[in-house]
Amino acid sequence: MRSNRLKVSGADAVYHCMTRTVNGERLFGDREKEILRKMIWQVGDFCGVRILTFCIMSNHFHVLVEVPEMESISDAELMRRYKVLYPKPTKYQEASIKVLERDLAAGGEEAEAVRHKLCVRMGDVSEFMKTVKQRFSIWFNKSHRRFGTLWADRFKSVLVEGAGNPLQTMAAYIDLNPVRAGIVDDPKEAN
């Protein structure tokens, strides 16, 4: 049975998120890892999520993110964030961007609908991970001429809080993942 994720509202929160490929298949080489890395940063920028550290392995990835309390965003910032998702827009995406800009400039109900549509995808760890996983799956399947699901399950997440140094402990856990796996001797050699 699916249960709701523990999410913080009205304050900044830090989450450790992790997701695995179907059957734990080792699908990611250097190229795939680099594309996934870029997408994590792009989607983080779009969602307003701060990437604290991450680790991409051949069959899973970890990311430690800070999700700030959602604040009001200007229309210019909304459009900047939207364009981050499309660094090399197609003609369709360019047209879509123009429509969004026109609707925002016009004001009224259409502008509010655009703002709402974009803002619900921001400041939320679930939306961040969903977008990363969807975008990467589309790219991966297209690049490898495959279809179907790439990820085993929903992502797992842990709210990082408590006494002591939980943030540093979790960051070290993530950064040392390739060392524990025997892939590198020093975490600086990974990613």
Side-chain angles (χ1 to χ4, degrees):
M1 185 164 130
R2 190 170 156 160
S3 61
N4 290 335
R5 295 192 183 283
L6 180 60
K7 290 196 256 183
V8 174
S9 296
D12 294 358
V14 175
Y15 301 90
H16 168 216
C17 303
M18 192 278 294
T19 194
R20 292 191 180 282
T21 58
V22 166
N23 298 324
E25 292 180 51
R26 298 182 184 280
L27 300 173
F28 308 151
D30 291 343
R31 179 172 180 246
E32 292 80 11
K33 290 177 182 180
E34 179 60 17
I35 297 294
L36 181 53
R37 182 194 67 77
K38 286 180 180 178
M39 286 185 183
I40 288 169
W41 285 99
Q42 282 177 325
V43 175
D45 189 7
F46 169 76
C47 290
V49 169
R50 188 170 150 227
I51 311 300
L52 301 176
T53 192
F54 66 95
C55 175
I56 303 171
M57 303 293 281
S58 62
N59 65 351
H60 70 282
F61 73 91
H62 298 262
V63 63
L64 186 63
V65 296
E66 180 181 19
V67 180
E69 179 180 358
M70 190 63 178
E71 296 178 1
S72 179
I73 299 172
S74 71
D75 290 349
E77 177 63 7
L78 276 177
M79 289 311 304
R80 184 201 68 77
R81 288 186 184 189
Y82 185 76
K83 290 175 185 176
V84 162
L85 293 177
Y86 306 101
K88 296 177 184 174
T90 63
K91 287 183 181 183
Y92 172 79
Q93 291 162 342
E94 286 176 0
S96 178
I97 288 168
K98 287 179 183 174
V99 168
L100 290 175
E101 288 174 332
R102 184 191 68 223
D103 288 349
L104 286 172
E109 287 181 24
E110 288 179 12
E112 280 306 311
V114 168
R115 282 185 203 101
H116 178 73
K117 180 180 173 182
L118 292 175
C119 286
V120 295
R121 296 175 58 197
M122 299 176 184
D124 185 293
V125 68
S126 294
E127 286 295 326
F128 165 75
M129 286 297 290
K130 176 179 124 182
T131 303
V132 168
K133 289 174 66 172
Q134 282 179 342
R135 291 173 68 88
F136 185 75
S137 294
I138 291 166
W139 174 85
F140 187 89
N141 283 349
K142 185 176 178 183
S143 297
H144 293 82
R145 295 187 178 128
R146 71 182 292 275
F147 59 91
T149 189
L150 179 63
W151 306 105
D153 295 308
R154 293 170 67 198
F155 70 97
K156 294 173 176 55
S157 66
V158 175
L159 179 62
V160 180
E161 62 181 354
N165 296 316
L167 187 60
Q168 292 83 354
T169 302
M170 192 60 74
Y173 171 81
I174 292 168
D175 292 343
L176 291 171
N177 209 273
V179 175
R180 283 190 306 277
I183 298 169
V184 297
D185 292 326
D186 187 325
K188 293 177 194 169
E189 298 169 15
N191 292 333

